[in-house]
Amino acid sequence: DTEVTQTPKHLVMGMTNKKSLKCEQHMGHRAMYWYKQKAKKPPELMFVYSYEKLSINESVPSRFSPECPNSSLLNLHLHALQPEDSALYLCASSPGPQGSRYGYTFGSGTRLTVV
Amino acid sequence: DQQVKQNSPSLSVQEGRISILNCDYTNSMFDYFLWYKKYPAEGPTFLISISSIKDKNEDGRFTVFLNKSAKHLSLHIVPSQPGDSAVYFCAASNYGGSQGNLIFGKGTKLSVKP
């Protein structure tokens, strides 16, 4: 299995809703990432988990809450989002936190719309 | 302030010709550079990479050139095919540092016309 699987592919949520994005990989990778990408912008790093521990939080608002239940799963819990949070949310993994010549393996993303 | 810059938002090339995508960077601590390809509604897919100790890496139709003194790299696709039409992201990282995070450029949309 050489994929990163993200669910759901599309999500529309209201500003008072609570929802979660899920990411799964079975490549034995020990580093997992959440990126946010807005239209015509580069992917921007949000969080890094290294060996199931949060190692980087790029000053992300607390309405985004990451969780790494085990080495294969990464969740992003969403609560009280704003319309400007609408974006493509990408999950990625790499063999270890030091990166590799193959970079990251990305999932297909979750297209989030906040109404 | 962008550390990785792709100044051409789009590029159109005829099938069979060469596509050259450019990328500039500002951080001299970057020690690895990667190119990703992205189709609509899909995540970025790794294409090719180069270490800062090299100036060229080739993989089939794809070659990446690195000019460290100019802080510039380019991706050459020869010959270009319609299936190469996608957004190409340049990314850089400091793998020798404590965390190998990838920093992405804004991307260049390549259109290869039959």
Side-chain angles (χ1 to χ4, degrees):
Chain A
D1 188 352
T2 59
E3 289 186 348
V4 173
T5 304
Q6 287 188 246
T7 55
K9 291 196 181 303
H10 301 274
L11 178 63
V12 179
M13 61 184 290
M15 289 188 284
T16 58
N17 291 160
K18 284 186 181 180
K19 296 285 184 184
S20 296
L21 308 185
K22 297 187 184 303
C23 174
E24 190 168 1
Q25 57 87 16
H26 296 286
M27 295 177 281
H29 288 178
R30 303 311 301 271
M32 297 185 76
Y33 311 82
W34 279 115
Y35 276 82
K36 173 182 177 179
Q37 185 181 18
K38 302 206 78 161
K40 299 187 179 179
K41 297 279 189 181
E44 294 180 347
L45 184 67
M46 299 175 71
F47 301 104
V48 180
Y49 270 83
S50 176
Y51 295 93
E52 294 107 73
K53 289 187 177 3
L54 181 65
S55 59
I56 290 184
N57 175 341
E58 290 286 353
S59 302
V60 180
S62 60
R63 57 185 184 269
F64 295 91
S65 175
E67 179 199 19
C68 189
N70 59 56
S71 60
S72 300
L73 295 174
L74 185 66
N75 298 322
L76 185 62
H77 302 298
L78 314 173
H79 174 55
L81 294 195
Q82 304 296 313
E84 59 264 29
D85 296 321
S86 299
L88 179 68
Y89 288 83
L90 291 162
C91 175
S93 68
S94 64
Q98 298 306 313
S100 81
R101 62 189 293 265
Y102 300 108
Y104 304 165
T105 302
F106 281 89
S108 296
T110 294
R111 175 71 61 187
L112 174 68
T113 303
V114 181
V115 297
Chain B
D1 186 28
Q2 273 194 284
Q3 297 186 67
V4 178
K5 300 177 185 179
Q6 292 177 260
N7 292 320
S8 298
S10 63
L11 174 68
S12 184
V13 170
Q14 206 67 33
E15 180 179 6
R17 306 295 284 266
I18 184 171
S19 296
I20 300 176
L21 297 103
N22 293 306
C23 178
D24 298 293
Y25 62 95
T26 58
N27 188 344
S28 58
M29 297 299 292
F30 288 143
D31 54 12
Y32 234 96
F33 304 91
L34 305 94
W35 284 94
Y36 279 82
K37 177 179 178 180
K38 186 178 185 301
Y39 293 116
E42 293 185 13
T45 304
F46 170 78
L47 197 56
I48 192 169
S49 66
I50 188 167
S51 162
S52 61
I53 63 173
K54 298 190 174 184
D55 54 19
K56 178 182 174 181
N57 188 26
E58 191 172 353
D59 184 2
R61 296 186 296 115
F62 303 93
T63 304
V64 57
F65 295 92
L66 176 62
N67 182 335
K68 279 187 69 176
S69 61
K71 293 193 176 69
H72 176 84
L73 64 153
S74 61
L75 174 68
H76 292 211
I77 306 174
V78 182
S80 301
Q81 299 173 354
D84 295 329
S85 298
V87 176
Y88 288 78
F89 288 98
C90 172
S93 185
N94 177 13
Y95 285 166
S98 60
Q99 190 77 33
N101 302 326
L102 291 181
I103 309 295
F104 286 88
K106 284 188 175 181
T108 296
K109 184 175 181 179
L110 174 65
S111 300
V112 180
K113 300 187 186 311

